[in-house]
Every structure is written in structure tokens, then in C-alpha cells.
Amino acid sequence: MDIQPLSISGAWRITPQQFPDERGVFLEAFQQPAFHEAIGRSLEIAQVNTSISKVGTIRGIHYADIPPSQAKYVFCTQGAILDVVVDIRTDSPTFGQWDAVVLDDIDRRAVFISEGLGHAFMALDDNSVATYLCSTTYSPTREHGINPLCRTIGIEWPTEDRNGNPITQIISEKDRNAPGLNTSKEQGLLPTLALAEGFVRGQK
Ligand SMILES: Cc1cn([C@H]2C[C@H](O)[C@@H](COP(=O)(O)OP(=O)(O)O[C@H]3O[C@@H](C)C(=O)[C@@H](O)[C@H]3O)O2)c(=O)[nH]c1=O
């Protein structure tokens, strides 16, 4: 299991070792000791989510209030997604920046997203299955959205699926109507890096 930091602090890319044989393939999708050694904390799992998305679907950008926010360990068991981490921590040196990893049923990578970061993804194939281990249960009143098409953030969403076909975006009404980054900041909704890091330290 290879675990590498992304360009935004608090986010990592995990590449598992795969063991193919005549039956198929085996891999460890998550392993607490390796996770702890690389990331310096454990992930206590309170909920496991799965969503199945049509090609072109964009979900997010979502984040949850600290405490307790919601850390997520995301992987894709079927199809492919572009998984995007957005730094929405207002005092962070990379505030407003994003990073992305393709998660698919070939490399079977995962992304870990710490508390206080924004998360979104786009399905790059039909019936793409995203599964994520979550540190907390769902709290609808503490979960918020930022418009995934916000120009200030400027996520470069793919225009072709993984077969090279043009993509038509599908976005929920809720996400389409979500405020942009600047409005979210003005409304005092966004977390700070200091708050996020303090919360994570307290969890160790
Ligand atoms: C996220 C979630 C949703 N729901 C319900 C609420 C709603 O009726 C339906 C669909 O919810 P949403 O439209 O928010 O689903 P979705 O847009 O897929 O939300 C997810 O997006 C990605 C990017 C994330 O990071 C996740 O944490 C989560 O926010 O499912 C739950 O019951 N539990 C949950 O944990």
C-alpha cells in the first residue's frame, strides 16, 4: 500500500497492492496500521456510503462543520470517478485550490480527505460506484455545499468520459444552487485550517 500526500495538506492518495490470480483479484482496500503510519492518525469508521452515478454526474462540493466534520476515505469499486479535494480552509496557504485523482476499477486507488476539506467527484463511466468510509454519521444540518462550477475554484471537470465520449454534466438542483466559494466565505460558513488541525490533533 503506497500512501502519498496530495498538493493540499490533509489529503492523500492511496494505491493498494493488487493480487491477481486465476479467480480474479484481491486487494486490501483499507488497512488501519498502514494508514496510521503514513498519515499519523487512525480512521474510526462510523458510516460507509455508496453512491452509483450515471456518466457525467458531479456530486459536491460538500463539507461538514467542525466539530466533528467528516473525514472520508473514498474508492471506486466499479467504473471510474475523478475525485476532487478542495481547500476551503480560509487561512490555508492553498485556500481555493483543488487537487484530483482518478479512482477506478483498474488501479483501485483511494483518496483520504481530512476534516475541513471540500469533496466532490465526477463519474467518468456509467454506473460508477463510489464507496467511502466516513468518520462520522450523516448530519444534514451540518453538511454544506459549494457550487461545483464555481469559477473562483475553477475545477477543470473532464469533458470526455473514460472511453473518450463527450460528457454531459448531471448536477443535482441542490448542488447547482449552492453558493460559490466567495459567498460561502462571506457568509462565515467555511472552516479554518487552525480549527481543522486542532480538531484532528484532538482525535489522535
Ligand atoms: C450523504 C447522505 C445522504 N443521505 C440522503 C439525503 C438525500 O435524500 C440523498 C442524497 O443526498 P445527497 O444529494 O447529499 O448525496 P450526494 O450528493 O451523493 O452527497 C455526497 O456527496 C459527496 C461528494 C460527499 O462527499 C458525501 O459526503 C456526500 O455529501 O441521500 C443520507 O441519508 N445519508 C448520507 O450520509
Side-chain angles (χ1 to χ4, degrees), residues 1 3 8 23 59 85 103 130 142 152 162 181 198:
M1 189 168 274
I3 304 182
I8 291 168
R23 301 165 297 176
R59 295 178 187 256
V85 182
L103 306 180
R142 295 183 72 76
T152 306
R162 72 164 167 176
L181 185 72

Side-chain angles (χ1 to χ4, degrees), residues 47 49 60-72 86 88-89 113-120 132 134-146 174 188-192 195-197 199-200:
Q47 183 172 315
N49 293 342
I61 306 162
H62 296 161
Y63 64 100
D65 293 334
I66 304 169
S69 190
Q70 188 179 57
K72 298 163 198 175
V86 184
I88 58 166
R89 303 164 301 188
I113 300 156
S114 297
E115 290 86 349
L117 291 169
H119 175 232
Y132 36 111
C134 302
S135 62
T136 64
T137 55
Y138 180 50
S139 176
T141 55
R142 295 183 72 76
E143 182 162 303
H144 308 284
I146 296 174
K174 184 181 74 169
L189 290 167
L190 302 181
T192 62
L195 185 65
E197 288 184 344
F199 178 79
V200 171

